[in-house]
Amino acid sequence: QHALNSGIRRYHVAPVLCQRAKVAMSHFEPNEHINYEKLEKNISIVRKRLDRPLTLSEKIVYGHLDDPAKQEIERGKTYLRLRPDRVAMQDATAQMAMLQFISSGLPKVAVPSTIHCDHLIEAQSGGEKDLRRAKDINQEVYNFLATAGAKYGVGFWKPGSGIIHQIILENYSYPGVMLIGTDSHTPNGGGLGGICIGVGGADAVDVMAGIPWELKCPKVIGVKLTGKLSGWSSPKDVILKVAGILTVKGGTGAIIEYHGPGVDSISCTGMATICNMGAEIGATTSVFPYNARMKKYLGKTGRADIAALADEFQQHLVPDSGCQYDQVIEINLSELKPHINGPFTPDLAHPVSDIGAVAEKEGWPVDIRVGLIGSCTNSSYEDMGRSAAVAKQALARGLKCKSKFTITPGSEQIRATIERDGYAQILRDVGGLVLANACGPCIGQWDRKDIKKGEKNTIVTSYNRNFTGRNDANPETHAFVTSPEIVTALSIAGTLKFNPETDYLTGADGKKFKLEAPDADELPKLEFDPGQDTYQYPPKDGSGQHVDVSPTSQRLQLLEPFDKWDGKDLEDMLILIKVKGKCTTDHISAAGPWLKFRGHLDNISNNLLIGAINIENGKANSVRNALTQEFGPVPDTARYYKKMGVKWAVIGDENYGEGSSREHAALEPRHLGGRVIITKSFARIHETNLKKQGLLPLTFADPADYNKIHPVDKLSIVGLADFAPGKPLKCIIKHPNGSQETIMLNHTFNESQIEWFQAGSALNRMKELQQKSS
């Protein structure tokens, strides 16, 4: 009653009113209920079959099996057919996902789904101005997403609502949920005990279409936490430490499951931070067991009814005693020191106490040009409070930030609450600029003016990724990732050589002082202020809704089906590029200014592989055209080959496609005539995205064979007529001098994925099945 009287858009339901299996999944979908009974039933079936204790990851994943009685289950080998509870899409990836859903011909989504407008808002002048500008520039795209959501039954979070992962944590994630999202940091929801997995848009279409979604049965890496966080150490330091141990591909094919007595010393939003950045180690997802910290967060975000239900089913929301992990890492939180990772890769871990000396030794700039806090990884109320606690100490001594300083609230609710409670003003007073509730600089949406491109400089962020050029498109920006409070302290000092645990600052009065370790409430004492209402409910019947895509639009383009496989081997393919070293999805399909073309496949294909380094000349976006012998941009060369009817391949190195879930990195090569990507290894999401679009992601049976292929060679893939799960394919390499050699290539296709290839794409295959059934 108090909530209703005060106008707060929250619904507080007393636990005594809860009914089993009649608790809504969210306030926005009162008729969609949490189904713990089904989870319980499926777990029981699998437990009898496997006859062993289960990890939490296994309980939730196997609890969502389409056929728990017959599904073959073997960690790291078999493909599982799953029934996720819901789908979430951010606006940059939602465009292509919704275009694919429209192309499927289905009338409405089969599971609760949402669209979140967070990626297209460029950081420039500050929150309100940047938001107004984004609404004007992106009106066509926002209108498409809003109307498509209304027509197909998808909830729509308007620009300014906040970052997708923070909104999911506040409204949609809950213990035991299986949620898939078209963004690689979807695992953020693991902080509330859910299995939340980042995927490409085509995977989301499967779930929205109501067909089982496939995932290779994940291994489970256990991270046992002991001790207790204290002082300057924060939840961010846990994942920074784990990243240093496992590296950017150490979690590939596995779920990271945190457990142990140290878990209870971490707030719910802190657990979300840890799970969020698990994407940087290649993990399928990360998860924490349900505990009192999650219950407290659920209550504070108006979901005490869900917490009461989770209490009732708690045995299924924690790991079994005696369960076995494929690998175990142990971290004593009492001994964990503040960390800072980078530059150029998120797994290059350093204690903060060492980074100054390391930077000087390596020739990295030690003066910090900009400090940036916020992002989907670290924008909680607690994060902002700890940063404000640091800033307040500096202000009391007459100091402000020596570096430029920006703040990105994670959601409208966080923005409104930190404004009410004074945190935002403290951060402004110390020199900060509060940006819009959006991704902003974290994904390259940053109109940076303080440096010129090519100028060597250092920034520190509380973000998750720091790939070359990711934040500001400047390859000479050395980006370091750390906690918000360390970013704040370093921004005040202005140098990487400052260690807040031991070093002193000089106040305006000339006296030296040391910053005390920050302390802040994990949740506000009052209720959260929800701020402005930014949610659009889908109508009960959207069949009369019109979705407008202009044929002359430069932002949106309806999709044409990809061509089917012709039943023949792929012979005499040219090599578009042999990539040297790291090749992330940022290298394959850059973000930043290219985000505006995410709904227009032909236009965005002009960024294909422009960031990848060509091994032939050591340059980016410069490859030899094998037909003309002239060097030119990668997309132009690919378009020329397509025009001439020539198929082509890409040769890659380790962990190819690391990073974002963006399926454009698979759509673009397919659109421009690519057929095969051969690498030493793939990142999970990208490999799946390639399969979905009818490409062949293959790996060298012997990684040393990477050295046998030269950019001037021609390749033939032999054995496709007998393409079968687990059966290697032959690759014949034809050298310019007329000599040949044969190497073997492995793949991870199962039977249904082979059908995707044969049909031309997973979407084509879906349409074929629909036609047969009708």
Short mmCIF file of all heavy atoms in Angstrom, two decimals, residues 392-429:
data_model
loop_
_atom_site.label_atom_id
_atom_site.label_comp_id
_atom_site.label_asym_id
_atom_site.label_seq_id
_atom_site.Cartn_x
_atom_site.Cartn_y
_atom_site.Cartn_z
N LYS A 392 34.75 11.66 -1.95
CA LYS A 392 34.42 12.53 -0.81
C LYS A 392 35.67 12.85 0.02
O LYS A 392 35.84 13.98 0.51
CB LYS A 392 33.36 11.84 0.05
CG LYS A 392 32.65 12.75 1.03
CD LYS A 392 31.49 12.00 1.69
CE LYS A 392 30.74 12.90 2.66
NZ LYS A 392 29.61 12.18 3.29
N GLN A 393 36.55 11.88 0.16
CA GLN A 393 37.79 12.11 0.91
C GLN A 393 38.69 13.13 0.21
O GLN A 393 39.28 14.00 0.85
CB GLN A 393 38.55 10.79 1.08
CG GLN A 393 37.82 9.75 1.92
CD GLN A 393 38.63 8.46 1.99
OE1 GLN A 393 39.78 8.45 2.46
NE2 GLN A 393 38.05 7.38 1.52
N ALA A 394 38.76 13.02 -1.12
CA ALA A 394 39.58 13.97 -1.88
C ALA A 394 38.99 15.38 -1.78
O ALA A 394 39.73 16.36 -1.59
CB ALA A 394 39.65 13.53 -3.34
N LEU A 395 37.68 15.48 -1.91
CA LEU A 395 37.02 16.79 -1.83
C LEU A 395 37.25 17.45 -0.48
O LEU A 395 37.43 18.67 -0.39
CB LEU A 395 35.52 16.64 -2.10
CG LEU A 395 35.12 16.31 -3.55
CD1 LEU A 395 33.65 15.92 -3.62
CD2 LEU A 395 35.40 17.50 -4.46
N ALA A 396 37.24 16.64 0.58
CA ALA A 396 37.45 17.17 1.93
C ALA A 396 38.85 17.77 2.09
O ALA A 396 39.06 18.64 2.95
CB ALA A 396 37.24 16.06 2.97
N ARG A 397 39.79 17.35 1.23
CA ARG A 397 41.17 17.88 1.27
C ARG A 397 41.41 18.88 0.14
O ARG A 397 42.54 19.25 -0.13
CB ARG A 397 42.17 16.74 1.15
CG ARG A 397 42.05 15.67 2.24
CD ARG A 397 42.31 16.21 3.63
NE ARG A 397 42.29 15.18 4.64
CZ ARG A 397 43.33 14.80 5.37
NH1 ARG A 397 44.49 15.40 5.19
NH2 ARG A 397 43.20 13.87 6.28
N GLY A 398 40.33 19.28 -0.53
CA GLY A 398 40.44 20.31 -1.56
C GLY A 398 40.94 19.81 -2.90
O GLY A 398 41.41 20.61 -3.72
N LEU A 399 40.85 18.51 -3.14
CA LEU A 399 41.35 17.94 -4.39
C LEU A 399 40.22 17.56 -5.33
O LEU A 399 39.11 17.23 -4.90
CB LEU A 399 42.19 16.69 -4.12
CG LEU A 399 43.48 16.85 -3.32
CD1 LEU A 399 44.22 15.52 -3.26
CD2 LEU A 399 44.36 17.93 -3.93
N LYS A 400 40.53 17.59 -6.61
CA LYS A 400 39.65 17.06 -7.65
C LYS A 400 40.46 16.11 -8.52
O LYS A 400 41.69 15.98 -8.36
CB LYS A 400 39.05 18.18 -8.49
CG LYS A 400 38.03 19.03 -7.75
CD LYS A 400 37.30 19.96 -8.72
CE LYS A 400 36.20 20.72 -8.00
NZ LYS A 400 35.39 21.54 -8.95
N CYS A 401 39.81 15.47 -9.46
CA CYS A 401 40.51 14.53 -10.34
C CYS A 401 41.52 15.26 -11.22
O CYS A 401 41.20 16.29 -11.83
CB CYS A 401 39.51 13.80 -11.22
SG CYS A 401 38.45 12.64 -10.34
N LYS A 402 42.71 14.72 -11.31
CA LYS A 402 43.69 15.24 -12.26
C LYS A 402 43.39 14.75 -13.68
O LYS A 402 43.70 15.43 -14.65
CB LYS A 402 45.10 14.80 -11.86
CG LYS A 402 45.63 15.49 -10.62
CD LYS A 402 47.08 15.10 -10.34
CE LYS A 402 47.62 15.84 -9.12
NZ LYS A 402 49.02 15.44 -8.82
N SER A 403 42.80 13.58 -13.75
CA SER A 403 42.39 13.03 -15.05
C SER A 403 40.95 13.41 -15.33
O SER A 403 40.18 13.72 -14.42
CB SER A 403 42.51 11.49 -15.04
OG SER A 403 43.75 11.07 -14.56
N LYS A 404 40.56 13.39 -16.61
CA LYS A 404 39.14 13.50 -16.92
C LYS A 404 38.44 12.30 -16.30
O LYS A 404 39.03 11.22 -16.15
CB LYS A 404 38.92 13.53 -18.43
CG LYS A 404 39.40 14.82 -19.11
CD LYS A 404 39.12 14.79 -20.60
CE LYS A 404 39.61 16.06 -21.28
NZ LYS A 404 38.88 17.25 -20.83
N PHE A 405 37.16 12.45 -15.98
CA PHE A 405 36.47 11.43 -15.20
C PHE A 405 35.02 11.34 -15.66
O PHE A 405 34.33 12.37 -15.74
CB PHE A 405 36.56 11.80 -13.71
CG PHE A 405 36.01 10.78 -12.75
CD1 PHE A 405 36.38 9.45 -12.83
CD2 PHE A 405 35.15 11.16 -11.73
CE1 PHE A 405 35.89 8.51 -11.92
CE2 PHE A 405 34.66 10.25 -10.81
CZ PHE A 405 35.04 8.92 -10.91
N THR A 406 34.55 10.15 -16.02
CA THR A 406 33.16 9.98 -16.45
C THR A 406 32.47 8.90 -15.62
O THR A 406 33.11 7.97 -15.13
CB THR A 406 33.06 9.62 -17.94
OG1 THR A 406 33.54 8.28 -18.13
CG2 THR A 406 33.83 10.59 -18.81
N ILE A 407 31.16 9.03 -15.51
CA ILE A 407 30.34 8.11 -14.72
C ILE A 407 29.17 7.65 -15.59
O ILE A 407 28.44 8.47 -16.15
CB ILE A 407 29.77 8.80 -13.46
CG1 ILE A 407 30.91 9.32 -12.57
CG2 ILE A 407 28.87 7.84 -12.68
CD1 ILE A 407 31.19 10.81 -12.76
N THR A 408 28.98 6.35 -15.70
CA THR A 408 27.87 5.80 -16.47
C THR A 408 26.96 5.00 -15.54
O THR A 408 27.30 3.88 -15.15
CB THR A 408 28.36 4.88 -17.60
OG1 THR A 408 29.25 5.60 -18.44
CG2 THR A 408 27.20 4.37 -18.42
N PRO A 409 25.78 5.53 -15.18
CA PRO A 409 24.83 4.75 -14.39
C PRO A 409 24.34 3.55 -15.20
O PRO A 409 24.13 3.64 -16.41
CB PRO A 409 23.69 5.73 -14.11
CG PRO A 409 24.26 7.09 -14.39
CD PRO A 409 25.29 6.88 -15.46
N GLY A 410 24.12 2.44 -14.52
CA GLY A 410 23.72 1.23 -15.23
C GLY A 410 22.28 1.19 -15.67
O GLY A 410 21.92 0.47 -16.60
N SER A 411 21.43 1.95 -14.98
CA SER A 411 20.01 1.94 -15.32
C SER A 411 19.38 3.24 -14.86
O SER A 411 19.97 4.00 -14.08
CB SER A 411 19.30 0.76 -14.64
OG SER A 411 19.27 0.94 -13.22
N GLU A 412 18.19 3.49 -15.33
CA GLU A 412 17.45 4.67 -14.89
C GLU A 412 17.21 4.61 -13.39
O GLU A 412 17.25 5.61 -12.69
CB GLU A 412 16.13 4.77 -15.65
CG GLU A 412 15.15 5.83 -15.15
CD GLU A 412 15.68 7.26 -15.20
OE1 GLU A 412 16.76 7.49 -15.79
OE2 GLU A 412 15.02 8.14 -14.64
N GLN A 413 16.98 3.41 -12.87
CA GLN A 413 16.77 3.24 -11.43
C GLN A 413 18.04 3.60 -10.65
O GLN A 413 17.95 4.29 -9.61
CB GLN A 413 16.37 1.80 -11.15
CG GLN A 413 16.19 1.48 -9.67
CD GLN A 413 15.55 0.13 -9.46
OE1 GLN A 413 14.33 0.01 -9.43
NE2 GLN A 413 16.36 -0.91 -9.33
N ILE A 414 19.18 3.18 -11.13
CA ILE A 414 20.44 3.53 -10.46
C ILE A 414 20.68 5.03 -10.55
O ILE A 414 21.05 5.69 -9.58
CB ILE A 414 21.62 2.75 -11.08
CG1 ILE A 414 21.49 1.25 -10.77
CG2 ILE A 414 22.95 3.29 -10.56
CD1 ILE A 414 21.60 0.88 -9.31
N ARG A 415 20.47 5.61 -11.74
CA ARG A 415 20.67 7.05 -11.93
C ARG A 415 19.82 7.85 -10.96
O ARG A 415 20.31 8.74 -10.26
CB ARG A 415 20.34 7.47 -13.37
CG ARG A 415 20.60 8.96 -13.64
CD ARG A 415 19.70 9.51 -14.72
NE ARG A 415 18.29 9.44 -14.39
CZ ARG A 415 17.67 10.30 -13.57
NH1 ARG A 415 18.35 11.27 -12.98
NH2 ARG A 415 16.38 10.16 -13.32
N ALA A 416 18.53 7.52 -10.92
CA ALA A 416 17.61 8.28 -10.07
C ALA A 416 17.98 8.13 -8.59
O ALA A 416 17.90 9.09 -7.81
CB ALA A 416 16.17 7.82 -10.32
N THR A 417 18.39 6.94 -8.20
CA THR A 417 18.70 6.68 -6.79
C THR A 417 20.00 7.35 -6.36
O THR A 417 20.08 7.92 -5.26
CB THR A 417 18.74 5.17 -6.52
OG1 THR A 417 17.52 4.57 -6.96
CG2 THR A 417 18.91 4.89 -5.03
N ILE A 418 21.02 7.33 -7.21
CA ILE A 418 22.28 7.99 -6.81
C ILE A 418 22.14 9.52 -6.87
O ILE A 418 22.86 10.23 -6.18
CB ILE A 418 23.49 7.51 -7.63
CG1 ILE A 418 23.39 7.90 -9.11
CG2 ILE A 418 23.70 6.01 -7.45
CD1 ILE A 418 24.67 7.62 -9.91
N GLU A 419 21.22 10.01 -7.68
CA GLU A 419 20.93 11.45 -7.65
C GLU A 419 20.26 11.80 -6.33
O GLU A 419 20.65 12.76 -5.65
CB GLU A 419 20.02 11.85 -8.82
CG GLU A 419 20.70 11.84 -10.18
CD GLU A 419 21.64 13.01 -10.40
OE1 GLU A 419 21.82 13.84 -9.50
OE2 GLU A 419 22.25 13.07 -11.50
N ARG A 420 19.25 11.04 -5.94
CA ARG A 420 18.53 11.29 -4.69
C ARG A 420 19.44 11.19 -3.48
O ARG A 420 19.36 12.03 -2.55
CB ARG A 420 17.39 10.27 -4.56
CG ARG A 420 16.53 10.44 -3.32
CD ARG A 420 15.72 9.18 -3.04
NE ARG A 420 16.58 8.04 -2.66
CZ ARG A 420 16.14 6.78 -2.59
NH1 ARG A 420 14.90 6.49 -2.92
NH2 ARG A 420 16.98 5.82 -2.22
N ASP A 421 20.34 10.21 -3.48
CA ASP A 421 21.17 9.96 -2.31
C ASP A 421 22.49 10.72 -2.32
O ASP A 421 23.32 10.55 -1.41
CB ASP A 421 21.44 8.46 -2.18
CG ASP A 421 20.17 7.67 -1.85
OD1 ASP A 421 19.12 8.29 -1.62
OD2 ASP A 421 20.24 6.43 -1.85
N GLY A 422 22.71 11.56 -3.31
CA GLY A 422 23.85 12.46 -3.30
C GLY A 422 25.13 11.93 -3.92
O GLY A 422 26.11 12.69 -4.06
N TYR A 423 25.17 10.67 -4.31
CA TYR A 423 26.39 10.12 -4.88
C TYR A 423 26.76 10.82 -6.19
O TYR A 423 27.94 11.12 -6.44
CB TYR A 423 26.23 8.62 -5.16
CG TYR A 423 26.15 7.73 -3.95
CD1 TYR A 423 25.75 6.40 -4.07
CD2 TYR A 423 26.49 8.19 -2.67
CE1 TYR A 423 25.67 5.55 -2.97
CE2 TYR A 423 26.41 7.35 -1.57
CZ TYR A 423 26.00 6.03 -1.73
OH TYR A 423 25.93 5.21 -0.65
N ALA A 424 25.77 11.05 -7.03
CA ALA A 424 26.05 11.65 -8.34
C ALA A 424 26.67 13.03 -8.18
O ALA A 424 27.61 13.39 -8.91
CB ALA A 424 24.76 11.73 -9.17
N GLN A 425 26.18 13.81 -7.21
CA GLN A 425 26.70 15.16 -7.03
C GLN A 425 28.14 15.13 -6.51
O GLN A 425 28.98 15.93 -6.93
CB GLN A 425 25.82 15.96 -6.08
CG GLN A 425 26.13 17.44 -6.04
CD GLN A 425 26.09 18.08 -7.43
OE1 GLN A 425 25.11 17.94 -8.15
NE2 GLN A 425 27.16 18.78 -7.82
N ILE A 426 28.43 14.19 -5.62
CA ILE A 426 29.80 14.05 -5.12
C ILE A 426 30.75 13.74 -6.28
O ILE A 426 31.84 14.32 -6.39
CB ILE A 426 29.88 12.94 -4.05
CG1 ILE A 426 29.15 13.36 -2.78
CG2 ILE A 426 31.35 12.58 -3.73
CD1 ILE A 426 29.00 12.23 -1.76
N LEU A 427 30.33 12.84 -7.16
CA LEU A 427 31.17 12.46 -8.30
C LEU A 427 31.30 13.61 -9.30
O LEU A 427 32.35 13.76 -9.92
CB LEU A 427 30.59 11.20 -8.96
CG LEU A 427 30.62 9.94 -8.07
CD1 LEU A 427 29.84 8.80 -8.72
CD2 LEU A 427 32.06 9.51 -7.78
N ARG A 428 30.27 14.43 -9.42
CA ARG A 428 30.40 15.63 -10.25
C ARG A 428 31.37 16.62 -9.62
O ARG A 428 32.20 17.24 -10.29
CB ARG A 428 29.03 16.30 -10.43
CG ARG A 428 28.08 15.61 -11.39
CD ARG A 428 26.90 16.52 -11.73
NE ARG A 428 25.83 15.77 -12.38
CZ ARG A 428 24.79 15.26 -11.75
NH1 ARG A 428 24.66 15.42 -10.43
NH2 ARG A 428 23.87 14.59 -12.41
N ASP A 429 31.24 16.80 -8.30
CA ASP A 429 32.06 17.78 -7.59
C ASP A 429 33.55 17.46 -7.71
O ASP A 429 34.40 18.36 -7.73
CB ASP A 429 31.66 17.85 -6.12
CG ASP A 429 30.29 18.49 -5.91
OD1 ASP A 429 29.79 19.14 -6.85
OD2 ASP A 429 29.72 18.33 -4.81
#
